[in-house]
Amino acid sequence: MQAVAVPPFERFYEEHRDAVFGLLVKRVGRQAAEDAFQETFFRALRAYPNLRHADHLRAWVLTIAERVSIDAFRRLRPAPEVPDLESVDERPAYQELLDLTSDLPPKERAAVILRYGYDLPYDLIGSALGSSTEAARQAASSGVRRLRQKELP
Amino acid sequence: MTLTPELDLRFREAAAAAGLVDVAYDVTDSPIGDLLVAATERGLCNISFDPDDAADRLARVFGRGVLRVPSRLDTVRRQLDEYFEGRREAFELEPDISLLPPFQQLVLHELAQVPYGRLTTYGALARRIGRPRAARAVGGALNRNPIPIVLPCHRVVGASGSLTGYAGGLHVKQRLLELEHALLTPPDS
């Protein structure tokens, strides 16, 4: 597959800012979405110089937004997560994984969701999580191991 | 749900303030048309008469971290406005030419010394940098001046006084020299 050149951050930002903001409003509400929006694109901008191709940028930034909203949600409400009714009728793969992986440590959970829910390569997962490619691979595989153990009687 | 302009600007400014932006830019209007203005953390790095595809062109030179951040260019915009209104003769802006080849940096440093309203020639600049036979190379370095107007390559003309060329077009060069009343004096030779 021919890797797509990574666009300047300005074009990436213009293309995805509305989708990111829309997702964050759904996840954490209009008020908290303002800070979460800034945090999402801060994380993206920090990781941006290290991206090696532009194949999954939409999925990548929405995943960062999911991570940020999980963090924001925890801060707002340490209680159990409330099901998101709006997205029940179109449950994407990552949504299923969000439920399945709720007991995993945060980093492993994120790595599993990014790998198997979004089909992202490990270098992008690493940059989304702020860790190396290898650490992302290890987090995903130990997350999967943990899930398997859980399923065994 | 679309993003509000306020939140959009808030992110842009915060990203620049956090030092996460390689190059901040904006497009500003002027009597000679829209100008792209861009700055790194070190200083003003680009003025272009052609703002199209600005982000892509800046990214090729300065890295992917390109973001439009209007507030970062406020000082530049204000000084350019004053210049075009005839109220400013010297710019107080730090140029960032650190990525350019050493010879071009040398030429541009010397160019910056050419005063408002005065003309000089490629040969005269070549002599001033101690390379009297490099007039042609000086011309090449000026052709690729990344910060026209502020680094005044419009004040450099051919030995005969002809305007030769200009990135923004000869009519722009003529216009800038008229603004500075520079055409009334012969070039330094």
Side-chain angles (χ1 to χ4, degrees):
Chain A
M1 192 169 65
Q2 183 71 41
V4 184
V6 179
F9 190 81
E10 173 71 27
R11 286 213 279 117
F12 160 78
Y13 171 71
E14 284 175 12
E15 198 173 329
H16 303 298
R17 61 188 166 186
D18 287 335
V20 164
F21 189 61
L23 176 80
L24 290 170
V25 169
K26 269 198 212 169
R27 291 283 181 272
V28 299
R30 179 72 179 71
Q31 196 81 39
E34 297 194 358
D35 287 339
F37 176 82
Q38 187 159 313
E39 177 60 25
T40 299
F41 277 105
F42 263 39
R43 290 191 197 180
L45 182 50
R46 274 193 210 100
Y48 209 70
N50 300 320
L51 293 185
R52 283 191 302 196
H53 57 75
D55 291 341
H56 306 280
L57 290 182
R58 169 73 65 135
W60 176 66
V61 72
L62 289 179
T63 307
I64 299 175
E66 291 282 7
R67 285 289 305 151
V68 169
S69 59
I70 290 169
D71 295 350
F73 203 80
R74 287 214 182 104
R75 271 198 305 274
L76 286 174
R77 241 188 260 210
E81 289 187 25
V82 176
D84 181 359
L85 295 177
E86 271 177 281
S87 56
V88 164
D89 47 2
E90 32 144 5
R91 287 170 70 82
Y94 68 79
Q95 202 67 47
E96 309 259 344
L97 279 168
L98 273 180
D99 301 340
L100 280 172
T101 57
S102 56
D103 294 337
L104 294 185
K107 193 158 192 169
E108 291 181 10
R109 184 184 188 199
V112 169
I113 292 171
L114 292 178
R115 182 68 194 97
Y116 301 101
Y118 285 103
D119 201 28
L120 286 195
Y122 286 113
D123 59 332
L124 285 189
I125 298 174
S127 59
L129 299 180
S131 63
S132 68
T133 303
E134 193 44 42
R137 192 192 311 276
Q138 280 168 11
S141 77
S142 89
V144 168
R145 247 195 329 273
R146 227 186 278 271
L147 287 176
R148 288 215 180 98
Q149 285 163 1
K150 211 171 70 168
E151 282 167 20
L152 293 176
Chain B
M1 165 108 20
T2 50
L3 190 65
T4 62
E6 292 74 28
L7 270 181
D8 175 66
L9 266 185
R10 189 183 126 191
F11 165 69
R12 292 173 182 279
E13 285 172 13
L20 295 174
V21 176
D22 293 328
V23 55
Y25 74 96
D26 197 16
V27 175
T28 184
D29 60 345
S30 84
I32 55 169
D34 283 350
L35 297 174
L36 164 76
V37 287
T40 63
E41 293 278 304
R42 291 157 173 261
L44 177 64
C45 66
N46 191 216
I47 291 179
S48 168
F49 300 102
D50 175 18
D52 290 347
D53 303 323
D56 291 270
R57 281 186 288 124
L58 290 169
R60 276 197 287 278
V61 180
F62 299 99
R64 288 174 193 163
V66 176
L67 197 64
R68 196 176 64 76
V69 190
S71 59
R72 282 272 145 161
L73 283 310
D74 280 349
T75 310
V76 177
R77 195 182 303 103
R78 194 180 60 245
Q79 294 197 17
L80 283 171
D81 286 346
E82 291 165 356
Y83 170 79
F84 283 116
E85 290 162 12
R87 293 191 289 124
R88 173 175 288 278
E89 298 196 350
F91 291 98
E92 293 152 84
L93 298 166
E94 190 62 46
D96 175 11
I97 53 172
S98 59
L99 290 179
L100 299 178
F103 179 77
Q104 197 182 5
Q105 292 193 29
L106 187 68
V107 171
L108 293 178
H109 276 301
E110 197 57 44
L111 172 68
Q113 312 305 316
V114 180
Y116 184 89
R118 296 286 292 277
L119 296 178
T120 190
T121 64
Y122 300 99
L125 268 187
R127 280 195 299 281
R128 253 180 270 154
I129 60 169
R131 303 278 298 274
R133 279 178 300 191
R136 189 182 294 267
V138 166
L142 295 182
N143 273 341
R144 294 186 301 277
N145 175 12
I147 320 176
I149 305 173
V150 170
L151 296 178
C153 56
H154 58 279
R155 293 174 197 152
V156 186
V157 297
S160 66
S162 65
L163 290 187
T164 62
Y166 196 61
L170 279 184
H171 62 289
V172 171
K173 186 166 184 173
Q174 174 104 25
R175 180 105 187 245
L176 296 177
L177 294 176
E178 281 166 7
L179 169 75
E180 297 185 12
H181 305 293
L183 296 172
L184 303 173
T185 53
D188 302 344
S189 50

